[in-house]
Amino acid sequence: MCGGGAAGVAAAVGAARAGAKVALVERAPFLGGAATRSSILTYCGFWTQADPPTQIVGGVGGDVLRSLAELNGIMGPIRTASTNVVIALIEPEPVKLALDRICAQTGIDVILHAQVCDAEIDGDRVWRAVVLDHGGRFALDAQAFVDASGEADLAEQAGAATRYADGTHAPQNGTLAMRVGGIAEDADVSRDAWARAVRSAKARGALHLTKENGLVVRLPHSGEILAFLADEAYDARDARSVSAAERRAREQAWAITEAIRHLPGHERAYLIATGPAIGTRESRHVVARERLRGVEVLSGRVGWSTVALGGWPVELHLGPGRPSVWKRIRDDGPYGIPLDTLRSASFVNLFAAGRVIDADGDAFGSARVMGTAFATGHASGVAAALVASGHSAEVAAVRAELLRQHAILALDA
Ligand SMILES: Cc1cc2nc3c(=O)[nH]c(=O)nc-3n(C[C@H](O)[C@H](O)[C@H](O)COP(=O)(O)OP(=O)(O)OC[C@H]3O[C@@H](n4cnc5c(N)ncnc54)[C@H](O)[C@@H]3O)c2cc1C
C-alpha cells in the first residue's frame, strides 16, 4: 500500500483482514494523511445528509469511528448551521493513535518516513515498489498494490495511465489550514464574522488575502479555532510550486490573524499553527476501467457493482478566493461507487483508493472526502487481497468479502 491516509489505512486493514500479508509505506512520521498532516479535522462522508443522517461507511472506517469515540477524539455527527451538512469534528492525536492501533492489531508492516519512489512491472502487472529511506532504496515485491498516495505516485512510477485533475481544467485549489487560539469563549466565531473581518482587511489594503468565506469551527477539546481560508493554486506534482504556495499561504494566515483581532473577543487571537503541510484537494487520478460521473453521483444511483457508498454533496473549490460551489445529492441519500472506478486500466493488480480514484470534476467534488476515502480504500484493499491470493477480483467476490468485514454497501443492508 502506498500512502497512509484514510484510504491507505483502510486498504491495508481490509487486505489484512482478507488474509493478505501487507506492508504500508507512508512518507510522513505518522498515519492519517490530510487529517494529521494538514489539520483537516472534520470527517465528512461517513453519513448521508438526510434528516436524521444515516451512517454509510462501516467496516474499517466504522471501526476507526468507534476507536476515536473511545479515545474521546470525535464529536459528531453534527449538522453545520452555515452550510447544512453533516460532519464530525476530530482531534489529530487520537486519529494517529487509533490508526496506529488498528494497523498493529491486524499485523500490518507499517513503514513510516519512507517514500515509494519507483516501481517495476512485468507485462500487465506491477511486481515491485521501490522505497526510499535514509538508508537508501529497498524493494517491496507483492502480488498486488494499492495506490492511496493522493498524488497517484505509485501508478505514475509504474507507467500506468494517470490524469492530472480531469485532464481539461485546473485541479481544485488547495488550502493551508490554520489553528488560532486566544479567542474569548463567548466570541462570535462564525464564518460570517470572519468573512467580515477579512473583507475589511482587504478594504484597508492588506496584502496576501484570498478567501473570505470558508470553514471556521471551534475544536471540541482544545477550544482552538480551525479555519480553511488561506487558498492557493499550485501544481502538487512540483515541489517548488508547492513550496511557493505554502510560503504565500503562511503570509495569508498571519494576515488573517491580524484581521480577526478587530472582531469583539478576538483581540488576543494568535496563530498556534498552520498546516503543517498545505492541504491538496486534487492532483493526479489513476485512469481506471470506468470513471465515476457527476450525473450518477447526483442521481443517488447505487448500482450492482457498488463496492463503496458516498454521501457528501458535490463541493467544488474552483480557484483561490472563489466561493465554494455546492450541489446536493438526490434526496440527500447515498450513491454507489463501482469497483471499476478503483481498478487501474493499465495493470490488473493495481488499485486506486481515496482521492486518486477515477472521477470527473463533480463526482470527485463529493468522493474525495475522508469518510468516502475509508470506503474506497477498504474496497481496493479487499480487491487487492483477492488478486494477491490468486483469485480474480470479481464484483461479487469483493462485495461478499466487504460485507463479511461489515462494510455498508446499501442502506437496507
Ligand atoms: C483544505 C482541505 C479541506 C478539506 N476538508 C475536508 C473535510 O472537511 N472533511 C473531509 O472528510 N475531507 C476534507 N478534505 C478532503 C480530504 O482531506 C482528502 O480528500 C482525503 O484526505 C483523501 O484521503 P487519502 O487517504 O486519499 O489522501 P491523503 O489524506 O492525502 O493521504 C495520502 C497519504 O499518502 C502519503 N504519500 C503521498 N505520496 C507518497 C509516496 N510516494 N510514498 C509514501 N507515502 C506517500 C501522504 O504523506 C499522505 O499521508 C479536505 C481537503 C483539503 C485539502
Side-chain angles (χ1 to χ4, degrees), residues 28 61 70 75 101 118 169 181-182 225 255 275 277 291 346 381 385 389:
E70 280 161 25
M75 193 176 94
R101 284 181 174 172
D118 203 356
H169 299 96
I225 309 303
R291 186 165 305 171
S346 310
S389 66

Side-chain angles (χ1 to χ4, degrees), residues 57 65 83 109 117 137 171 191 249 288 324 327 356 359:
V57 180
L65 289 185
T83 44
D109 179 16
C117 65
R137 288 168 166 243
R191 66 161 70 203
S324 353
K327 302 177 191 179
V356 306

Side-chain angles (χ1 to χ4, degrees), residues 3 6-7 26-27 33-34 40 42 44 116 149 153 279 354-355 368 370:
E26 166 55 54
R27 66 182 170 160
I40 310 299
T42 42
C44 305
V116 174
S149 64
D153 276 10
R355 65 186 170 88
R368 65 192 175 82
M370 291 181 279

